[in-house]
């Protein structure tokens, strides 16, 4: 696998129940970061991760959905699949693409073995609860494989 230019595409066309999910693209540079975003044009990223050192990963979650108001206020979001859940607490910030997309995301840091990453890499339907709203999405094999490879490289 070429770590300098890793582009994995995923088209999710298999409905789960009555829900159909957007496709997600995962891309990374040298292995020190990964972005996962919808394949819909002008969308913000669902997840952005970068190795922060000292056993931590910087997490940018939910820019596609908007978590908080983007004013550096404290926010939380809960990821769940099946009976497993993980609550992330952090700050609400504008995404890097906010001028174009209006995106707002949760920013926090987690250890590579945090339960949240197991949920994200599960390949199952994931619920993201934030501010009284629940979003559902699913990452397929290509995106979860890229995420798993990133977590291994960052550990």
């Amino acid at each position: 696998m070429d770590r300098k230019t890793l582009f994995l595409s995923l088209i999710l066309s298999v409905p789960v129940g009555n829900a159909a999910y957007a496709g997600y693209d995962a891309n990374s540079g040298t292995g020190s970061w990964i972005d996962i975003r919808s394949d819909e044009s002008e969308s913000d990223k669902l997840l952005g991760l970068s190795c922060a050192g000292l056993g931590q990963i910087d997490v940018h979650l939910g820019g596609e959905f908007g978590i908080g108001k983007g004013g550096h206020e404290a926010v939380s979001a809960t990821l769940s699949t099946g009976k497993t859940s993980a609550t992330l607490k952090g700050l609400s910030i504008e995404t890097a693409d906010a001028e174009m997309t209006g995106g707002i995301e949760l920013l926090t840091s987690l250890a590579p073995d945090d339960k949240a990453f197991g949920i994200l890499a599960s390949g199952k339907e994931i619920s993201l609860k934030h501010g009284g709203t629940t979003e559902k999405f699913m990452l397929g094999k290509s995106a979860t494989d890229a995420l798993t490879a990133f977590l291994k490289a960052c550990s």
Side-chain angles (χ1 to χ4, degrees), residues 47-134:
L47 181 66
L49 305 174
S50 60
C51 298
L54 301 174
Q56 293 291 298
I57 296 174
D58 287 339
V59 178
H60 296 250
L61 176 68
E64 177 180 354
F65 303 126
I67 298 178
K69 296 179 182 178
H72 295 92
E73 72 275 12
V75 292
S76 66
T78 300
L79 292 167
S80 61
T81 187
K83 294 181 180 182
T84 305
S85 66
T87 298
L88 287 72
K89 295 179 180 181
L91 299 177
S92 176
I93 63 168
E94 291 183 345
T95 67
D97 297 328
E99 283 188 28
M100 181 177 67
T101 64
I104 299 170
E105 63 194 2
L106 181 150
L107 171 64
T108 193
S109 291
L110 299 173
D113 62 352
D114 193 276
K115 196 176 355 176
F117 296 126
I119 293 167
L120 289 163
S122 70
K124 299 177 182 175
E125 180 183 63
I126 298 169
S127 293
L128 172 63
K129 295 180 183 176
H130 61 95
T133 303
T134 300

Side-chain angles (χ1 to χ4, degrees), residues 27-38:
N27 58 49
S28 67
T30 62
S32 63
W33 62 273
I34 185 170
D35 285 345
I36 298 176
R37 67 175 65 226
S38 169

Side-chain angles (χ1 to χ4, degrees), residues 118-153:
I119 293 167
L120 289 163
S122 70
K124 299 177 182 175
E125 180 183 63
I126 298 169
S127 293
L128 172 63
K129 295 180 183 176
H130 61 95
T133 303
T134 300
E135 313 286 353
K136 294 191 183 276
F137 62 94
M138 190 168 91
L139 302 177
K141 185 170 176 20
S142 295
T144 58
D145 286 352
L147 176 57
T148 301
F150 166 82
L151 292 169
K152 184 176 180 181

Side-chain angles (χ1 to χ4, degrees), residues 1-8 28 142 145-150:
M1 176 178 343
D2 180 4
R3 295 180 77 187
K4 288 187 179 181
T5 53
L6 173 63
F7 293 98
L8 300 173
S28 67
S142 295
D145 286 352
L147 176 57
T148 301
F150 166 82

